[in-house]
């Protein structure tokens, strides 16, 4: 796949609502455009995004062809304990891209 960028606060207070942001560089080809050879460019989109916090899924989204290239996703979660936030993107071909970030809760 491509390069993923994630933005997670390094530290938060217990119970604080924090904003999580994630973006992946991906063309999100719908399959409707015609290439220079006159044939449709095959569909290639990210179908699913999921985020886990210490192994528990806290956010997920199913994506469709109407989503722009390089999709940016932002959401909030409640910081409960220090740990790892993992991000997973899965495309039409079944390939996955992962990223992770640590958060310290004090």
């Amino acid at each position: 796949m491509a390069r993923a960028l994630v933005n997670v606060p390094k530290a938060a207070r217990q119970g604080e609502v924090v904003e999580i942001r994630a973006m992946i560089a991906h063309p999100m080809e719908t399959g409707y455009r015609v290439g220079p050879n006159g044939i449709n460019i095959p569909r290639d989109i990210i179908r699913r995004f999921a985020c886990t916090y210490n192994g528990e899924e806290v956010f997920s989204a199913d994506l469709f062809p109407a989503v722009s290239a390089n999709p940016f996703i932002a959401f909030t979660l409640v910081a409960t304990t220090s740990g790892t936030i993992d991000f997973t993107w899965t495309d039409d071909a079944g390939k996955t891209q992962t990223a992770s970030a640590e958060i310290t809760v004090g």
Side-chain angles (χ1 to χ4, degrees), residues 3-8 19-28 46 49 59 61 63 66-76 87 89:
R3 186 174 70 138
L5 301 171
V6 296
N7 186 308
V8 173
E19 183 178 39
I20 308 297
R21 292 179 272 178
M23 187 188 85
I24 189 163
H26 193 279
M28 297 293 280
I46 294 174
F49 169 77
F59 182 85
L63 306 178
V67 174
S68 69
N70 307 321
F72 172 80
I73 297 172
F75 57 95
T76 59
F87 304 85
W89 294 264

Side-chain angles (χ1 to χ4, degrees), residues 80-100:
T80 55
T81 61
S82 297
T84 304
I85 300 175
D86 294 305
F87 304 85
T88 305
W89 294 264
T90 306
D91 71 7
D92 276 340
K95 291 186 271 180
T96 60
Q97 175 77 29
T98 60
S100 63

Side-chain angles (χ1 to χ4, degrees), residues 33-73:
R33 288 188 327 131
V34 177
N37 58 1
I39 298 174
N40 281 11
I41 299 170
R43 179 178 140 150
D44 182 19
I45 67 167
I46 294 174
R47 299 190 81 173
R48 182 160 171 78
F49 169 77
C51 178
T52 61
Y53 182 22
N54 289 334
E56 182 181 339
E57 187 171 276
V58 292
F59 182 85
S60 68
D62 293 322
L63 306 178
F64 297 92
V67 174
S68 69
N70 307 321
F72 172 80
I73 297 172

